């Protein structure tokens, strides 16, 4: 249900031979922000590639928090041999609270809010990987025409930040080689945000789709 179900209008051409060549030490970037994503900072909206160590991001739960590290890499989204699990996710405007279209990596945790989440977990808010949203409100996978630059911002603690006008995405405290996201904080406490994965995430998004369909039917009847 949540696999590579359809192709986007973006999947129009194959990559050029230059773009198809991957460096020997490359790997697939599965989370982080794609270049061009706008992030809410204490100084206003800024593209993620313009954010540096020491800048303050506006977080959902804890106000302004300083960036402690920035890591960068390239996601070879244009590769004709890119496996389905690594293809980026195209999120239309307004789908998850975003004012602008978004391009997310498949494992990037996204906050969703729904009655379905509350019914299943006791909390109206839930974090799911972007790949779990494929098929929901027009969200789909796509292959771009060139490699995608990926920037990961790191804060002192895991935090939810505002992206592209209102979408809420998880920014990790974990820095490569330091600690794993979803395991522990530096102080040894449980990570404050848990991401629903696998069958739980699929069931949650399926319930949200049914909720949308029910709301549409009720609105049609009322009209």
């Amino acid at each position: 249900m949540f696999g590579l179900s359809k192709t986007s209008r973006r999947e129009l051409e194959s990559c050029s031979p230059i773009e198809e060549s991957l460096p020997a030490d490359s790997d697939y970037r599965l989370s982080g922000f794609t270049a061009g994503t706008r992030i809410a900072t204490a100084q206003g909206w800024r593209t993620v590639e313009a954010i540096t160590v020491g800048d303050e991001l506006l977080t959902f739960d804890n106000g302004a928090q300083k960036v402690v590290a920035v890591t960068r890499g390239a996601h070879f989204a244009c590769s004709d041999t890119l496996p389905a699990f690594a293809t980026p996710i195209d999120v239309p405007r307004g789908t998850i609270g975003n004012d602008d279209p978004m391009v997310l990596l498949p494992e990037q945790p996204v906050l969703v809010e729904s009655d379905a989440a509350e019914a299943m977990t006791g909390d109206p808010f839930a974090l799911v990987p972007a790949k779990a949203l494929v098929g929901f409100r027009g969200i789909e996978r796509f292959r771009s025409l060139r490699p995608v630059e990926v920037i990961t911002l790191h804060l002192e603690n895991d935090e939810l930040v505002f992206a592209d006008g209102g979408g809420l995405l998880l920014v990790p405290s974990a820095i490569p080689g330091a600690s794993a996201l979803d395991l522990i904080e530096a102080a040894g406490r449980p990570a404050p945000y848990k991401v629903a994965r696998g069958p739980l995430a699929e069931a949650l998004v399926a319930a949200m789709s049914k909720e949308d369909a029910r709301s549409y039917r009720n609105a049609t009847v009322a009209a």
Side-chain angles (χ1 to χ4, degrees), residues 68-83:
V68 298
V70 178
T71 53
R72 296 173 181 267
H75 180 84
F76 289 84
C78 73
S79 172
D80 289 336
T81 60
L82 189 72

Side-chain angles (χ1 to χ4, degrees), residues 83-160:
F85 73 81
T87 51
I89 311 297
D90 184 19
V91 181
R93 178 184 291 108
T95 306
I96 54 172
N98 51 311
D99 292 340
D100 298 318
M102 306 177 76
V103 175
L104 300 178
L105 295 185
E107 295 292 343
Q108 174 60 48
V110 179
L111 189 73
V112 295
E113 179 183 7
S114 74
D115 293 339
E118 185 168 25
M120 292 181 64
T121 67
D123 189 335
F125 296 101
L127 275 169
V128 298
K131 67 181 182 182
L133 295 169
V134 172
F136 176 68
R137 296 180 180 176
I139 295 173
E140 59 185 359
R141 293 181 183 271
F142 78 97
R143 295 180 190 273
S144 68
L145 304 183
R146 59 186 60 83
V148 176
E149 184 183 10
V150 178
I151 299 97
T152 304
L153 307 175
H154 305 273
L155 304 177
E156 194 67 35
N157 299 294
D158 292 357
E159 298 285 357
L160 293 166

Side-chain angles (χ1 to χ4, degrees), residues 15-105:
C15 304
S16 70
I18 294 175
E19 290 170 336
E20 185 69 16
S21 300
L22 277 66
D25 62 350
S26 71
D27 59 358
Y28 298 118
R29 303 271 172 169
L30 299 182
S31 64
F33 300 124
T34 56
T37 302
R38 295 184 305 121
I39 305 295
T41 75
Q43 289 74 42
W45 292 99
R46 298 178 65 187
T47 57
V48 65
E49 59 268 32
I51 294 174
T52 60
V53 171
D55 289 343
E56 292 187 329
L57 309 187
L58 299 184
T59 70
F60 184 60
D61 290 311
N62 296 302
Q65 297 292 319
K66 285 187 178 181
V67 175
V68 298
V70 178
T71 53
R72 296 173 181 267
H75 180 84
F76 289 84
C78 73
S79 172
D80 289 336
T81 60
L82 189 72
F85 73 81
T87 51
I89 311 297
D90 184 19
V91 181
R93 178 184 291 108
T95 306
I96 54 172
N98 51 311
D99 292 340
D100 298 318
M102 306 177 76
V103 175
L104 300 178
L105 295 185

Side-chain angles (χ1 to χ4, degrees), residues 6 8 41 56 69 73-74 100-101 104 109 116 118 132 170 174 182 188 195 199 217 221:
K6 62 177 180 178
S8 165
T41 75
E56 292 187 329
D100 298 318
L104 300 178
E118 185 168 25
L170 186 67
D182 285 342
V195 182
R217 287 196 302 270
V221 171

Side-chain angles (χ1 to χ4, degrees), residues 160-178:
L160 293 166
V161 301
F162 299 90
D164 284 331
L168 283 161
L169 307 180
L170 186 67
V171 168
S173 58
I175 300 172

